[in-house]
Amino acid sequence: MFSGAQISLYPMTGDFVGVITGALGALDPYRNQLRIETDDISTLLVGPPDTLFPAMRDLFVAAAGGGAHCVLSATISRGCPGEPDDAICASVRFDGPRENLEQRKAESLASVAAAINTGTPIAAQFSLYVMGTDDHMDEIYGCIDFLKQSGVFDRAKNFCTRLAGDAAPVFAALEAAFCQFGPPAGHVTIDLTVSANSPTPR
C-alpha cells in the first residue's frame, strides 16, 4: 500500500520563515520512518499512517507554539490505485480481516481517550472520502458516529466535520478516521485544515 500526505504550513506572521524552519525540528524523530520531499508548494510525507499523523501533529504544535495564528492544510491518501506500493508504508493495521464497524468504532474511541494532551488547543475541519466500495456511506456514517462520541466533535458543517480540542486527541481522531473506516486495502482520502491561535471568534 502507498500512504502519505501533501502538507502546507501557513504561519500568519512576518517571521513565517523562522516559524516554519524552527518547527521542522519536530519531524526529526520521524525521519527514519518517513520519506520527506519538499518543493515550493508543499511537503510530501510518505509512510505508515501511525507515523504520519503524529508527525503532522508535532510539526503543527511546534509551529503554533509561538502564539501566531497558524494553519496546516493537508491532503492525505492511502491505497491510491495510481501509486506504487512502498515498503516504508507497511502497517499491521491493514493486515488480516476487517473487524466489524462497531468494533472499529470502539477501537477508535479508545485511541482518542488514550491520547496524552499537548497543551495546544486547535480546531480542524476535514472531509473523509471512501472510494471504490458500494458501502462507502455506511463507513462514513460510522465514522461520524464515532466522532460524535469522541470528545473532540464540534459540529457538522457543509461538506465537512469540525473538530476542536487539544492537538493530541484531535489528531488521534483524524488518524482513526483515516485508518479504521473504509476497506483496509481500499482508496481512502482526507481533505484537512487545522488552525490554532485564530483571531476570529468561534
Side-chain angles (χ1 to χ4, degrees):
M1 179 180 289
F2 188 94
S3 59
Q6 289 279 5
I7 65 171
S8 298
L9 189 62
Y10 303 103
M12 313 298 177
T13 173
D15 185 32
F16 66 93
V17 174
V19 172
I20 293 171
T21 56
L24 290 175
L27 293 178
D28 288 348
Y30 304 100
R31 291 189 184 275
N32 290 336
Q33 304 165 69
L34 296 172
R35 189 172 83 238
I36 304 174
E37 301 172 7
T38 298
D39 61 23
D40 57 337
I41 297 177
S42 62
T43 294
L44 172 67
L45 305 177
V46 176
D50 41 359
T51 301
L52 282 175
F53 284 87
M56 287 189 289
R57 176 201 64 210
D58 291 352
L59 175 69
F60 187 70
V61 166
H69 182 201
C70 193
V71 171
L72 174 75
S73 176
T75 300
I76 311 161
S77 176
R78 65 171 171 89
C80 178
E83 300 286 356
D85 287 345
D86 193 321
I88 199 172
C89 301
S91 173
V92 296
R93 300 181 81 154
F94 303 109
D95 294 337
R98 195 61 154 166
E99 295 171 329
N100 70 46
L101 190 57
E102 292 304 314
Q103 288 175 302
R104 287 182 276 135
K105 287 194 288 187
E107 289 177 6
S108 298
L109 289 169
S111 67
V112 175
I116 298 173
N117 284 357
T118 64
T120 301
I122 66 172
Q125 65 182 32
F126 81 106
S127 301
L128 176 71
Y129 302 98
V130 177
M131 290 172 275
T133 176
D134 292 337
D135 65 349
H136 67 283
M137 288 310 301
D138 292 338
E139 294 292 318
I140 290 171
Y141 287 136
C143 181
I144 291 170
D145 186 48
F146 143 64
L147 292 170
K148 287 181 175 179
Q149 301 175 60
S150 68
V152 295
F153 178 82
D154 188 341
R155 65 183 185 271
K157 298 178 65 176
N158 291 105
F159 321 123
C160 62
T161 298
R162 179 184 164 110
L163 308 178
D166 185 89
V170 169
F171 272 91
L174 292 165
E175 180 180 343
F178 185 70
C179 294
Q180 295 279 28
F181 300 92
H187 189 193
V188 174
T189 67
I190 282 180
D191 180 37
L192 171 67
T193 303
V194 185
S195 176
N197 309 318
S198 174
T200 304
R202 183 173 172 279

